[in-house]
């Protein structure tokens, strides 16, 4: 099992842990894809862990699996994926992390708020 931190900035700390037979080339591809998904401008501080597992049994249909528990600002993003190859898993993980981090980043922007309460809720008359 290996574990290492991802990110050069002090606002991004994502630990990648592997279990099973994960080669260095696949691990480098995972680092690249996870980094591009989580290091976009405008995101608050990012921290968490991504666990990558390769099953040892040869009869397993989808031997690659991953789970990401990432805290973005005050929100939590949890992503799970299973695929047949390391590249497919990295691409799927990238897509899901990107989509959920975008949704979380824009969640506070899309909340519906009125400028002042309506008159029947106690707004002072002008």
């Amino acid at each position: 099992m290996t574990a290492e931190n991802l990110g050069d900035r002090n606002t991004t700390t994502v630990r990648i842990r592997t279990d099973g037979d994960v080669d260095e080339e696949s691990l480098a591809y995972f680092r690249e894809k996870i980094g591009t998904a989580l290091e976009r401008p405008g995101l608050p501080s990012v921290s968490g862990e991504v666990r990558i597992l390769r099953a040892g049994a040869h009869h397993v249909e989808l031997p690659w699996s991953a789970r990401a528990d990432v805290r973005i600002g005050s929100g939590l993003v949890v992503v799970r994926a299973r695929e047949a190859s390391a590249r497919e898993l990295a691409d799927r993980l990238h897509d899901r992390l990107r989509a959920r981090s975008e949704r979380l980043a824009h969640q506070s922007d899309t909340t519906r708020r009125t400028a002042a309460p309506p008159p029947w809720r106690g707004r002072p008359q002008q």
Side-chain angles (χ1 to χ4, degrees):
M1 180 186 308
T2 63
E4 63 183 61
N5 288 334
L6 172 71
D8 300 336
R9 301 181 312 177
N10 58 358
T11 58
T12 303
T13 308
V14 177
R15 175 178 249 184
I16 298 177
R17 300 180 71 182
T18 61
D19 193 12
D21 187 22
V22 180
D23 57 310
E24 286 298 319
E25 182 181 336
S26 298
L27 187 59
Y29 191 68
F30 275 110
R31 273 190 238 119
E32 176 187 342
K33 295 301 266 186
I34 292 168
T36 58
L38 296 175
E39 289 183 353
R40 74 168 186 83
L43 275 183
S45 63
V46 177
S47 64
E49 183 177 76
V50 177
R51 289 181 294 273
I52 302 164
L53 172 71
R54 182 175 183 191
H58 298 287
H59 65 278
V60 177
E61 190 173 325
L62 299 173
W64 289 89
S65 63
R67 178 184 167 107
D69 297 315
V70 179
R71 185 159 297 281
I72 300 174
S74 63
L76 179 66
V77 173
V78 177
V79 175
R80 294 181 185 167
R82 291 184 60 150
E83 288 296 331
S85 72
R87 283 202 174 273
E88 291 174 2
L89 180 67
D91 292 338
R92 170 91 38 143
L93 197 60
H94 173 267
D95 292 342
R96 289 183 179 177
L97 279 172
R98 182 76 166 199
R100 296 203 178 133
S101 66
E102 290 279 336
R103 189 178 323 147
L104 187 64
H106 296 294
Q107 188 174 13
S108 63
D109 296 341
T110 59
T111 55
R112 297 181 184 172
R113 295 186 185 116
T114 57
W120 58 86
R121 293 212 176 154
R123 180 179 72 187
Q125 296 290 329
Q126 294 183 10

